[in-house]
Amino acid sequence: MAQKILFLDRDGTLILEPEDYQVDSIDKLNFYPGVFRWLGRIARELDYKFVMVTNQDGLGTDDYPEATFWPTHELMRRALAAEGIAFTEELIDRTYARDNAPTRKPNPGLLTTYLSGDYDLANSYVIGDRLTDMQLAKNIGARGIWIATDPELGNDELSSGELGDLDDTIALRTTDWEDIYHHLRLKNRTATVRRTTKETDILIELDLDGTGQTTIDTGLGFFDHMLDQLGRHSGCDLTVKVKGDLDIDEHHTIEDTAIALGEAFAQALGDKLGIERYGWYLPMDDSLAQVGIDFGGRPWLVWDCTYRREKIGDMPTEMFYHFFKSFTDGARCNLNVKVEGDNEHHKIEATFKAFAKSIKMAKRRDVENMRLPSTKGVL
């Protein structure tokens, strides 16, 4: 397996940057808060190699003599090494920004060794406090973690086009090393499911750890509304695109979407290490919905819901049971659903919101307890 790398900036990332931007004496050496604890845990627990990549403007000139640089740098290195934080390589560019040297970040000239196929750059990160670090990440095909203590710092070294084109590269913006540890410790939980039959063509894209952003198009307005509620209230980013045989009826569109959605949740949950596993609840005006969920690996549905209307919007009420049953089959989970109330719209919307909140509870991970939530040892 190709090696993953953390390319670490120095000033503003490992140590704090003084007002004059030169750490040229020991009394200017202050470590970034939390770096010992959290970078130390990354070193001990995760499978990244560390490479330091730093611009040191004019190092070796009269403006910045080496004699004032190395004693402080060596002290920093020894202090980090005492916590198990060691660098495979330290790469220092000594030029000024005006030189636009191929070795100066964001240019990748110092990293040619790592641009071969021997390294897993797609799953590597550049961690730094400037957008030039994020541009370096983009230039080498890695992701960026931006320690944005001063978001304007160094931006004059990038063009307006470069500044506006980094969103897809920046995986995390933070000022806290604990956030960085959590981001690296907890694997991305995403899934893409494509289900194509003679009756439907369905695309599901799911990010369990998103922000509730949704793009829904099933051809059924009320179904779209319910799936939007599911994404928003579960905190999952969810894309659902369906082309179904609505000229016949709604059955296949709803059933196949539920199966594919369940499969996406099963895929995204992965090994399920550290998840809460269970969740429940929710009131909405006159209605009270209770949805218990268990991502335990076995499908089962208990359904205690009745409706007085044949349809809500363009969705037959008989298909609500079928949706949840098909979801449990795809996700291999238990669901226990009960709702009471007077307004049929409120009852089913409360049910979907309770379903979403149950998922939000059950999917939550405890980074300090990344074990399987089962006494059997398997889910």
Side-chain angles (χ1 to χ4, degrees), residues 166-295:
L166 290 173
D167 287 348
D168 291 340
T169 297
I170 299 172
L172 176 67
R173 173 177 174 164
T174 184
T175 58
D176 193 330
W177 265 100
E178 183 177 2
D179 292 342
I180 296 173
Y181 167 76
H182 285 180
H183 180 85
L184 298 176
R185 181 70 177 86
L186 299 176
K187 296 178 181 178
N188 291 336
R189 296 187 297 174
T190 61
T192 299
V193 172
R194 191 76 188 240
R195 179 183 173 87
T196 302
T197 70
K198 292 181 179 179
E199 298 159 339
T200 57
D201 183 15
I202 297 169
L203 173 66
I204 306 284
E205 294 176 345
L206 174 68
D207 181 351
L208 289 185
D209 304 301
T211 58
Q213 301 300 308
T214 64
T215 301
I216 312 293
D217 183 9
T218 67
L220 297 169
F222 188 77
F223 194 29
D224 289 355
H225 182 45
M226 292 301 98
L227 293 176
D228 180 58
Q229 298 295 331
L230 173 59
R232 296 289 179 89
H233 293 287
S234 67
C236 298
D237 289 346
L238 178 62
T239 295
V240 180
K241 296 181 180 178
V242 184
K243 294 181 180 178
D245 55 356
L246 295 177
D247 56 312
I248 296 175
D249 72 0
E250 308 86 352
H251 187 104
H252 299 139
T253 290
I254 296 168
E255 178 182 37
D256 289 4
T257 299
I259 293 170
L261 185 62
E263 290 173 351
F265 271 92
Q267 185 183 125
L269 284 166
D271 58 21
K272 302 181 184 177
L273 294 179
I275 67 166
E276 291 293 335
R277 179 178 167 181
Y278 304 102
W280 59 96
Y281 74 110
L282 189 125
M284 181 176 175
D285 296 337
D286 58 289
S287 302
L288 178 65
Q290 301 173 66
V291 178
I293 196 167
D294 173 15
F295 284 116

Side-chain angles (χ1 to χ4, degrees), residues 8 44 101 135 139 165 185 211 225 247 275 325 366:
L8 294 152
R44 291 187 296 273
Q135 183 65 43
N139 289 345
D165 196 29
R185 181 70 177 86
T211 58
H225 182 45
D247 56 312
I275 67 166
K325 175 63 171 65
D366 181 356

